[in-house]
Amino acid sequence: MQIFLGESIAGQSAIGRGMDMNTQITIAGVDFKNPVMTASGTFGSGMEYADFVDLNKLGAVVTKGVASVPWPGNPVPRVAEVYGGMLNAIGLQNPGIDVFLQRDIPFLKQFDTKIIVNVCGKTVEDYVEVVERLGEEPAVSMLEINVSCPNVKEGAIAFGQKTEALYGITREVKRHAKQPVIMKLSPNVADIGEMARAAEAAGADALSMINTITGMKIDIHRRKFALANKTGGLSGPAIKPVAVRMIYQAAQAVKIPIIGMGGIADGEDAVEFLLAGASAVSVGAMNFVDPYTTEKVIRGIEEYLETYHIEDVRELIGAVR
Amino acid sequence: MKKRVSARILSQREMENGIFDLWLNPMEPGFAEAVSPGQFVGVYTKDRSKLLPRPISICEVSGDRSSLRLVYRRGGTNTGTYSLSLLDGQTCGTVDILGPLGNGFPVEKGKGKKTLIIGGGIGIPPLVELSKRLEARNQIVIGYRDRTQTFLARDLEDHGKLFLATEDGSRGTKGNVVDAVRENQLGADIIYACGPMPMLRAVKALAAELKIPAYISLEEHMACGVGACLGCVVKTKEVHPHTNVNNARICTDGPVFEADQVEI
Ligand SMILES: Cc1cc2nc3c(=O)[nH]c(=O)nc-3n(C[C@H](O)[C@H](O)[C@H](O)COP(=O)(O)OP(=O)(O)OC[C@H]3O[C@@H](n4cnc5c(N)ncnc54)[C@H](O)[C@@H]3O)c2cc1C
Ligand SMILES: Cc1cc2nc3c(=O)[nH]c(=O)nc-3n(C[C@H](O)[C@H](O)[C@H](O)COP(=O)(O)O)c2cc1C
Ligand code: FES
């Protein structure tokens, strides 16, 4: 792809034959230079991928889930490969909010990208504590509340699988949050539209989906579970059609914006999510496969816009009904 | 700096039953040169359904520092290493690798010392480059299942005094590598080791008994290979500065750890 003009201002790339295109999107009043983010837990706090990717190019870095205190996570093996994807049961290992604020936020602040912090907890109080601490940090643009991790025994997932519980925690988090709140929904539910509506009714500013789908792998030679946790979350290209379907259904059910993820590997995948109704996308497991995936997705979206002479990426959002 | 690069396949051959010897020329200047012994690469197979890179130790760096040697065990027909084993320089020019990954063995700590370099089975490969680089009096103790396996023994012979152990006693000491250390009454100032977990536990105990430091290379299932996913942890004695809990990432904080720092 050729850059026609020597400079490009935020969100505006002038490519090809001098076509002006807008890749900037806005979610809950926060502007992103492009709709490409990193999926929580697959990009650390950006540090590990800074060798590969220019973080300044990303719409946002979404960090690994952080709790009020350090969590040691699950026993190993924590990851397993499956056809077209992987299972993980990390168990939300994280260094706790203190270290996160001292180390990870200052690192990310060096870059011209938005910071979205993913929050996990076992009780409502846990979530609120982290949300309040993050409220003191203006560099954090948005909060993503993970109520959908399938890999921790207590709490968490329960909030994401019952409408009343989801409504309750969303309300509580919104009451304490200084930044706009994204509720990250679980795909392990019967009716995603109903869950999306519950979060919206409770005041969520945006939704993100999908988290991983609960799965299992058995090693037939050793006659053992592949993961110490027995079950794990399925992610990667194998789950993409499920993600597209759920984003479409949620987008039909609510008015708030949706950040879509689930197996995105290139620009074409990202466009599919936007057409289904997502306002932005996140790259998850594919970072492990190709550490340059995020930049590749950004370029791919621009190429698509250019090919079809679309001037504004926002025209794609929910364009297929 | 870590990179994902294409590497030309210079040669690949089956050394002995199911053990493959692969020479790669990374198409990135300086890639092979930057490698230190004990580091590994993530190897992407050509099978698109198998997404994750396979962690494989760097066995050797060529004399001119341009190429890398990997020695690996081929799994069953449905594995990634099986599809990797089918590649050769003629039919398929390149394979993608991610690396160099992890922290290798502390070579400088062995300088001028009497070393014990201990390897078992498919843990033997990284010991070749290690023993080559160590400016030390190397005693190399390696263990195989039985007499049908001898891979890399010749290569190691050039870099130290070699001792063998086989489980069935068909060559060298009958038993494991630690039995061979005892039988030959080997003393040392420092231990380097790579191999299966039971062997590493025995090495850790041996080091404690001899009151000498041991550096062991650990293995775990990995996804990212670069420290981002927290998939590959090992329990640590102390709270680790990065994770802020009692575990460390094998792919980035390791794979080589000081034995008394990890709970294995
Ligand atoms: C730091 C490190 C260095 C290694 N060095 C070597 C080496 O030099 N030579 C060698 O033969 N082997 C080495 N291994 C082990 C090697 O990574 C596995 O044997 C290999 O990944 C198995 O892949 P597969 O395609 O045969 O099996 P598959 O069944 O297709 O693998 C499925 C998934 O499980 C993972 N996996 C399976 N077994 C292991 C294992 N034992 N360790 C880690 N991941 C596993 C694979 O990487 C893949 O993601 C090393 C492992 C580590 C962690
Ligand atoms: C190793 C791993 C760790 C993850 N950790 C988190 C997490 O801490 N919080 C969270 O909300 N989602 C987490 N996820 C879910 C991802 O953010 C994403 O929703 C999911 O993997 C689907 O996207 P993908 O198919 O592109 O990976 C994790 C996923 C993986 C693979
Ligand atoms: S494999 Fe991801 S942290 Fe080690």
Side-chain angles (χ1 to χ4, degrees):
Chain A
M1 189 184 64
Q2 282 201 332
I3 306 294
F4 188 69
L5 296 175
E7 55 194 293
S8 71
I9 53 170
Q12 290 236 313
S13 5
I15 62 171
R17 291 175 186 282
M19 184 182 120
D20 264 337
M21 73 164 75
N22 173 57
T23 56
Q24 186 174 318
I25 54 126
T26 304
I27 294 175
V30 181
D31 294 329
F32 299 89
K33 66 175 79 164
N34 63 55
V36 180
M37 309 177 176
T38 62
S40 174
T42 65
F43 211 72
S45 289
M47 226 173 282
E48 289 77 12
Y49 280 99
D51 275 353
F52 303 99
V53 175
D54 179 0
L55 303 185
N56 297 303
K57 291 198 175 141
L58 305 180
V61 170
V62 184
T63 63
K64 171 80 186 162
V66 63
S68 54
V69 293
W71 287 9
N74 287 330
V76 291
R78 291 177 171 186
V79 291
E81 190 185 61
V82 294
Y83 201 94
M86 62 174 284
L87 292 170
N88 90 81
I90 308 297
L92 293 176
Q93 176 177 334
N94 76 89
I97 187 69
D98 290 335
V99 166
F100 180 81
L101 286 171
Q102 279 157 25
R103 178 185 65 198
D104 298 20
I105 293 293
F107 170 80
L108 281 172
K109 270 193 204 170
Q110 300 169 277
F111 300 93
D112 175 25
T113 186
K114 290 284 160 32
I115 305 172
I116 299 180
V117 177
N118 183 280
V119 178
C120 56
K122 287 170 183 154
T123 62
V124 174
E125 294 72 35
D126 287 350
Y127 282 98
V128 166
E129 188 182 337
V130 180
V131 163
E132 286 187 330
R133 294 288 302 280
L134 290 166
E136 299 155 19
E137 183 46 86
V140 174
S141 293
M142 297 184 89
L143 309 179
E144 182 180 57
I145 310 301
N146 178 11
V147 287
S148 46
C149 181
N151 301 324
V152 285
K153 299 255 163 354
E154 325 82 336
I157 187 77
F159 293 117
Q161 287 182 327
K162 297 201 184 76
T163 45
E164 310 81 55
L166 176 64
Y167 182 89
I169 189 159
T170 309
R171 283 282 307 247
E172 227 19 62
V173 164
K174 271 302 286 178
R175 251 165 31 90
H176 294 88
K178 290 233 171 68
Q179 294 95 337
V181 169
I182 306 162
M183 295 305 291
K184 183 157 181 180
L185 300 187
S186 171
N188 304 307
V189 295
D191 184 346
I192 192 71
E194 192 186 13
M195 300 305 287
R197 275 192 294 270
E200 182 183 49
D205 300 287
L207 302 175
S208 60
M209 65 180 70
I210 59 174
N211 208 319
T212 54
I213 302 172
T214 312
M216 180 181 276
K217 179 180 178 177
I218 293 171
D219 180 336
I220 60 161
H221 304 292
R222 291 163 51 244
R223 299 198 188 183
K224 279 186 166 169
F225 297 101
L227 299 174
N229 192 51
K230 295 186 186 172
T231 60
L234 177 63
S235 63
I239 70 169
K240 200 188 80 175
V242 180
V244 173
R245 183 266 294 177
M246 288 199 150
I247 286 156
Y248 175 77
Q249 288 175 332
Q252 301 305 304
V254 297
K255 293 208 168 58
I256 51 177
I258 298 171
I259 301 167
M261 65 207 76
I264 292 175
D266 57 27
E268 295 188 3
D269 291 342
V271 168
E272 192 177 344
F273 278 66
L274 297 175
L275 291 172
S279 296
V281 295
S282 290
V283 177
M286 284 306 287
N287 288 307
F288 308 156
V289 183
D290 180 354
Y292 308 106
T293 304
T294 44
E295 283 194 26
K296 192 165 95 182
V297 170
I298 295 168
R299 275 199 311 277
I301 294 174
E302 287 174 356
E303 277 160 15
Y304 180 88
L305 295 178
E306 197 191 20
T307 305
Y308 291 95
H309 303 288
I310 298 163
E311 284 176 13
D312 192 333
V313 72
R314 290 172 299 187
E315 288 172 34
L316 299 177
I317 300 169
V320 173
R321 285 153 189 282
Chain B
M1 198 160 92
K2 294 169 213 161
K3 285 205 162 83
R4 177 181 168 152
V5 304
S6 288
R8 220 172 282 116
I9 299 172
L10 299 177
S11 67
Q12 165 145 257
R13 70 184 178 95
E14 190 166 2
M15 305 175 83
E16 59 191 48
N17 199 10
I19 307 290
F20 282 73
D21 186 357
L22 173 64
W23 274 99
L24 296 174
N25 176 222
M27 293 191 277
E28 172 77 25
F31 189 100
E33 207 168 340
V35 166
S36 58
Q39 285 192 299
F40 63 102
V41 288
V43 182
Y44 295 92
T45 70
K46 296 268 169 178
D47 180 342
R48 296 271 290 150
S49 73
K50 294 183 171 34
L51 297 170
L52 300 176
R54 270 56 184 162
I56 306 285
S57 298
I58 292 157
C59 171
E60 213 179 333
V61 181
S62 65
D64 65 358
R65 300 269 165 118
S66 69
S67 308
L68 300 175
R69 181 186 194 188
L70 308 182
V71 171
Y72 67 92
R73 179 165 47 210
R74 178 185 65 191
T77 48
N78 203 22
T79 63
T81 50
Y82 190 89
S83 63
L84 182 67
S85 73
L86 302 176
L87 307 178
D88 65 56
Q90 273 85 52
T91 54
C92 160
T94 63
V95 61
D96 284 2
I97 55 174
L98 177 72
L101 302 177
N103 298 312
F105 292 103
V107 176
E108 69 296 341
K109 287 210 162 77
K111 196 167 178 174
K113 302 243 174 80
K114 197 170 178 188
T115 65
L116 255 180
I117 300 171
I118 302 178
I122 204 60
I124 294 171
L127 304 181
V128 175
E129 187 65 19
L130 172 69
S131 56
K132 207 162 85 178
R133 298 249 189 128
L134 274 168
E135 295 169 36
R137 282 167 291 151
N138 293 335
Q139 310 166 90
I140 305 168
V141 187
I142 50 178
Y144 299 104
R145 208 177 35 238
D146 55 44
R147 65 181 312 128
T148 66
Q149 294 189 313
T150 55
F151 63 93
L152 298 173
R154 280 264 168 75
D155 300 74
L156 286 164
E157 233 164 28
D158 294 340
H159 308 296
K161 194 160 177 351
L162 190 68
F163 301 88
L164 289 181
T166 45
E167 280 165 31
D168 63 358
S170 54
R171 296 181 71 216
T173 301
K174 178 173 164 58
N176 62 31
V177 284
V178 173
D179 296 328
V181 171
R182 295 196 198 286
E183 189 173 286
N184 296 289
Q185 298 180 348
L186 304 178
D189 306 311
I190 184 168
I191 299 178
Y192 299 96
C194 184
M197 193 51 96
M199 184 203 101
L200 294 177
R201 286 196 192 103
V203 167
K204 179 176 171 169
L206 175 72
E209 184 189 315
L210 298 176
K211 298 197 171 57
I212 58 175
Y215 294 89
I216 58 177
S217 181
L218 303 180
E219 201 179 286
E220 188 46 69
H221 287 242
M222 296 182 175
C224 70
V226 299
C229 74
L230 302 177
C232 66
V233 297
V234 59
K235 284 200 176 125
T236 53
K237 200 169 94 187
E238 320 277 349
V239 168
H240 189 272
H242 180 86
T243 60
N244 200 29
V245 291
N246 284 78
N247 71 34
R249 301 159 301 176
I250 291 177
C251 68
T252 11
D253 303 315
V256 177
F257 292 91
E258 195 168 350
D260 70 357
Q261 295 300 310
V262 287
E263 313 276 339
I264 56 172

